[in-house]
Amino acid sequence: MMKRILLSLAHMSGKEEEFIREAFDSNWVVPLGPNVDGFERDLEAWIGKKAGREVHVVALSSGTAAIHLALVMLGVGPGDEVICQSFTFAASANPVCYQGATPVFVDSEPDTWNIDPQLLETAIEDRLRKTGKLPKAIIPVHLYGTPARMNEVMDVANRYGIPVVEDAAEAIGSEYGGRYCGTFGQYGALSFNGNKMITTSGGGALICPDEASAARVKFYATQAREAFPYYQHEKIGYNYRLSNISAGIGRGQMFVLDEHIARRRAIHGLYVEKLKNTPGITVMQPRSTVDLCPNYWLSTILVEPEQAGFTYQDLSARLAEAGIESRPLWKPMHLQPVFRNAPAYVNGVSESRFMQGICLPSGPLVTDDDVDKIVEIIKK
Ligand SMILES: *Cc1c(COP(=O)(O)O)cnc(C)c1O
């Protein structure tokens, strides 16, 4: 049978089962428990190495839940607007709608493919003019693990006093100026879905600025139960905590996190090296002057049909024939039917990337030989 080369497969350290077995042996087969606490402490220690500030981490059932609770914490509600990067997965924007608020989409700048800080400011000014109100939050995304221009984004956000929720679902371990993505904004969301850098089978986490906000996030994530001997509720809550079993997988994954990041960066390096000077093919690599260190969760390439002699769809089909999975880039939110009525500030960058780009196999199980095979097909 032909070996299939997939985009982003999970890879276990082998320790996951020990933590799960411990949970079974101690009968902690429930939401919450020692693995949840342990996973949170592990993440805090790991992220804390390059956070430049205090970090408190709450383990949650998904990255989407993490973004949602950040918006709950910031008091986002009906009638509010939240600025969101347009070039992203729908999970960045959906929670804005869960809160009855309106997403306002802002396009990307060409280098990092992430939110354009100047267009962000234009959007804020225009919303202020049109609605008389400032947006309630800003959601920049570190797409495919490439850090957004956080100095400029934070500068704009701070000037207007608007809190930032970083969608770092794809960017655990990505560094901007020596600091981890997810630690710049007031909140940072991580995802441990099956195809992300590390997995808990499904799960996420919210990076919080202090102990009190982390405690409040846990409160909302467990049905907002007040401290009474009986069940007393004064807020609408959610069932968003990570289970103790899933957290056991997460603890095991912490043993391979550094390795996975190193491997994905190495795979990206191979694509860059082997595809340089290939007409019409550009491997995405930011050139920003700030010290950027993407985790290269997924390596992506752009295909310029005139120069290459084929489109990205042609290439995708050829790769598929050889058992190689590829995937179009995220379709920008301002082009999605569901968001057709949302205000959008557009400059053409995300749309042009979407029309030319694909993601290539990048997971820890992709070998050097696999990359050679992929490159050979592209060159042919
Ligand atoms: C995966 C992802 C999410 C959502 O994470 P889940 O854990 O799948 O809910 C959010 N934003 C981006 C950019 C993602 O890639």
Side-chain angles (χ1 to χ4, degrees), residues 151-185:
N151 284 349
E152 286 109 311
V153 169
M154 293 309 297
D155 186 51
V156 173
N158 290 337
R159 246 181 305 121
Y160 290 91
I162 306 172
V164 168
V165 176
E166 285 175 84
D167 181 342
E170 303 177 355
I172 187 170
S174 295
E175 294 174 34
Y176 178 93
R179 193 165 153 189
Y180 282 140
C181 289
T183 67
F184 291 86

Side-chain angles (χ1 to χ4, degrees), residues 43-58:
L43 285 167
E44 280 169 1
W46 195 88
I47 295 162
K49 287 181 300 185
K50 293 184 183 177
R53 69 150 203 230
E54 243 184 285
V55 285
H56 297 268
V57 175
V58 181

Side-chain angles (χ1 to χ4, degrees), residues 85 87 108-114 144 284 300 302 329 353:
Q85 181 168 321
F87 200 15
S108 293
E109 51 87 19
D111 187 45
T112 65
W113 299 5
N114 291 315
Y144 301 116
M284 196 287 182
T300 57
L302 296 178
L329 302 183
R353 297 302 181 279

